[in-house]
Amino acid sequence: DYDFLVNFETLNRAIDPVNKQLYYGDLSQEWQNFRIYTYILIDANADPDAIDTKMRTMIEERLGMMVRAAGVELNPYLQKLTDIHLKSDLEGEMGPTGDESYIYIFSAVAIFVLLIACINFMNLSTARSENRAKEVGIRKVVGADRGQLIKQFLGESITFTCLAAIFAGIAVIFLLGPFNVIAEKNISVSSLINVQTGLLLIGLVIIVGITSGSYPAFLLSAFRPAEVLSGKKHKGASGGLLRKILVVVQFAISVLLIISLSVIYSQMGYIKNRPLGYDKENILAIPLSDPAPRSTYDAYKTTLLSNSQITSVSAASSLPGGLFGMALLRPVGRPANENLTIQWMIVDYDFIETF
C-alpha cells in the first residue's frame, strides 16, 4: 500500500540541504540498517531452508565480527508474503497486522449461531408433526414410499434454506455500510461476489438444508398410515429423547455465546479505558519528516507558543506507541560483550509536561 515509488539509486543520491551530505547514505552497503524491508522472489523449486542458511553465511561474512563484539546474535529467516498479515507478530511491521485466531473465533461463533437455528428448525418441525401426520398417511395410502417422503421433506428444508440465504444476501448488501463504520473496514459488495463465495454459499445451503431437515424428514416419514388416519397420536409427535438433547444443546450453546460476549465486552472496555500513561486528549502531532522544517524547529516552536490557545510544544523522534529506535547499551563496568538491546526515543524539552 503506497502512494508512489522511488528508485533506490535516487535515494542514494539524495543530499541533505542542511549539512550537504548524503541524506540516506549508501543504503546498498548499510548492512547494519534493519529498517529496510527486503523482498526476495525465489524460484518455485528453491528450498527456503537452504536460502536461510546462505543468508546466515552472508550475514556472518559482513557483520560477524561486529555482532560478536556487541554480544548479540542475528538469525535472519524468510517469511512468506502471504503469511505477514495473519501469521506475523513481529515488531516493526509496515502496518497493523491481523491475527489468525480471530478468523477461527468468528467462524466458530457463526457456526454456533447457525447450529442454534438448525436445532430450532428441527424442534419446531417435530413439534408441528401432528399437523402433517394425516398428509403423510394419505400419501402412503396412495402409494408413496418412505424414500419419496424423505426427499420431499429434505427438499422443503433446502427450499427454506435457499430463501433464508437470499434474505441474508439482501441483508448483507444493506448492512455492509454500517458494518464498515463500526468495524472500521472498507469491504465492498463487489469484493464478496466471486465464484468461490458462490460455490461456498451453495454448499452451505445444501449442508444446512439437509442437516436441519434430516431429523424431521426421518421422523415424519416413519408415521404409520393406519395410526395417523385413525386419529391415534404418534409417539414421535410429543418429541422424545433426541428432541430433549437438542433443546439442551441449543441452550448450552446460547449460554456459552452469552458468556463469551460478556467477557469480550469487558475486555474491549478495558482496552478502551485503560490508562496509557499519558493524556492523549487535545494533543496534535505534526510530522516533520523533511530536513528543512526540522532545521527551523526552534523558531517554529516559538511561533506556536505565541498562540494563546497552545499551552505546550515539544518534539520526539517517534510517537508514543509507534516504532522506537533500537540500540545496544552496555552498563558501566560490564564486559564488552555484555550488551543490552534497548528501545530509545529522542525527545525535546517539555516532552513530559506536554504529555
Side-chain angles (χ1 to χ4, degrees), residues 15-66:
I15 301 295
D16 188 335
V18 178
N19 55 30
K20 306 303 179 183
Q21 296 179 353
L22 288 175
Y23 186 65
Y24 295 101
D26 188 355
L27 297 176
S28 63
Q29 298 301 319
E30 288 190 3
W31 292 92
Q32 69 276 19
N33 189 338
F34 300 118
R35 289 181 173 272
I36 297 175
Y37 299 89
T38 305
Y39 299 91
I40 302 172
L41 181 62
I42 65 174
D43 187 86
N45 299 320
D47 182 6
D49 294 333
I51 297 177
D52 282 348
T53 302
K54 290 182 179 180
M55 285 171 53
R56 293 188 178 93
T57 302
M58 181 179 64
I59 294 295
E60 172 62 27
E61 292 173 353
R62 289 164 173 81
L63 293 174
M65 293 181 62
M66 187 185 76

Side-chain angles (χ1 to χ4, degrees), residues 11-215:
L11 295 180
N12 285 338
R13 293 194 301 269
I15 301 295
D16 188 335
V18 178
N19 55 30
K20 306 303 179 183
Q21 296 179 353
L22 288 175
Y23 186 65
Y24 295 101
D26 188 355
L27 297 176
S28 63
Q29 298 301 319
E30 288 190 3
W31 292 92
Q32 69 276 19
N33 189 338
F34 300 118
R35 289 181 173 272
I36 297 175
Y37 299 89
T38 305
Y39 299 91
I40 302 172
L41 181 62
I42 65 174
D43 187 86
N45 299 320
D47 182 6
D49 294 333
I51 297 177
D52 282 348
T53 302
K54 290 182 179 180
M55 285 171 53
R56 293 188 178 93
T57 302
M58 181 179 64
I59 294 295
E60 172 62 27
E61 292 173 353
R62 289 164 173 81
L63 293 174
M65 293 181 62
M66 187 185 76
V67 296
R68 281 193 294 274
V72 297
E73 184 178 354
L74 295 179
N75 291 305
Y77 62 91
L78 296 178
Q79 181 185 44
K80 281 186 177 182
L81 190 65
T82 51
D83 287 349
I84 294 177
H85 181 63
L86 290 179
K87 299 180 181 179
S88 177
D89 58 353
L90 302 176
E91 292 182 0
E93 296 287 7
M94 282 189 172
T97 57
D99 190 337
E100 196 173 25
S101 60
Y102 291 145
I103 305 295
Y104 297 119
I105 291 173
F106 292 140
S107 299
V109 171
I111 291 172
F112 280 143
V113 171
L114 197 57
L115 187 59
I116 290 175
C118 290
I119 293 174
N120 208 43
F121 181 82
M122 292 181 192
N123 289 333
L124 290 174
S125 298
T126 52
R128 293 186 299 109
S129 59
E130 278 190 78
N131 298 334
R132 304 198 66 178
K134 290 185 177 180
E135 174 194 344
V136 173
I138 293 173
R139 285 182 178 276
K140 283 193 171 183
V141 168
V142 296
D145 58 29
R146 189 180 183 188
Q148 291 174 323
L149 292 172
I150 291 175
K151 291 178 182 178
Q152 175 197 337
F153 293 126
L154 289 180
E156 292 176 1
S157 176
I158 294 176
T159 301
F160 275 121
T161 309
C162 286
L163 292 174
I166 292 172
F167 281 113
I170 296 172
V172 167
I173 293 173
F174 284 100
L175 297 177
L176 193 56
F179 172 81
N180 284 333
V181 174
I182 295 173
E184 296 182 352
K185 300 296 181 183
N186 189 26
I187 303 172
S188 63
V189 176
S190 59
S191 66
L192 300 177
I193 302 175
N194 52 63
V195 176
Q196 184 180 11
T197 305
L199 293 175
L200 287 173
L201 187 59
I202 293 172
L204 187 63
V205 166
I206 295 173
I207 292 173
V208 171
I210 294 175
T211 301
S212 58
S214 58
Y215 176 52

